[in-house]
Amino acid sequence: GLRAVRLIGMPIRAYHGAEDTTIDPSIGVYMVDSVNAKGGHATITLLEGHGHNDGINDAYRHYGIVDWLLSQKRTDFSPVPESLSKYF
């Protein structure tokens, strides 16, 4: 949807507890699918055996999140919203 369009220029790796009963994992899958349908580049990993907020340590240990984050480079230097300009 509308939010997905705002994310198409950003590489996204999402992690979601497969047994999350607070926010159904299908919501994360839907968002990733929406971003990709609009031309973005998003992936999602469902963390088996984890619920809401209890899989992040496992994700950091086993999925190379830090290395992936550090490998990202900004390539789109179009103007950012005024409210965010102090960060760029």
Side-chain angles (χ1 to χ4, degrees):
L2 182 59
R3 291 181 182 173
V5 171
R6 295 179 180 179
L7 300 173
I8 62 172
M10 184 179 308
I12 297 169
R13 269 188 165 181
Y15 297 86
H16 201 117
E19 282 76 45
D20 191 339
T21 58
T22 303
I23 299 173
D24 194 280
S26 65
I27 302 298
V29 171
Y30 173 77
M31 190 62 177
V32 165
D33 288 348
S34 295
V35 169
N36 291 335
K38 300 291 184 185
H41 303 284
T43 63
I44 187 165
T45 300
L46 296 177
L47 302 169
E48 296 299 325
H50 293 287
H52 191 74
N53 283 341
D54 66 351
I56 193 64
N57 290 332
D58 186 49
Y60 272 101
R61 273 193 297 275
H62 301 290
Y63 292 96
I65 295 173
V66 173
D67 289 338
W68 181 81
L69 284 170
L70 294 174
S71 74
Q72 301 308 303
K73 305 282 187 255
R74 184 173 179 201
T75 58
D76 178 4
F77 291 93
S78 58
V80 296
E82 182 63 33
S83 61
L84 300 176
S85 64
K86 66 182 177 181
Y87 300 110
F88 297 97

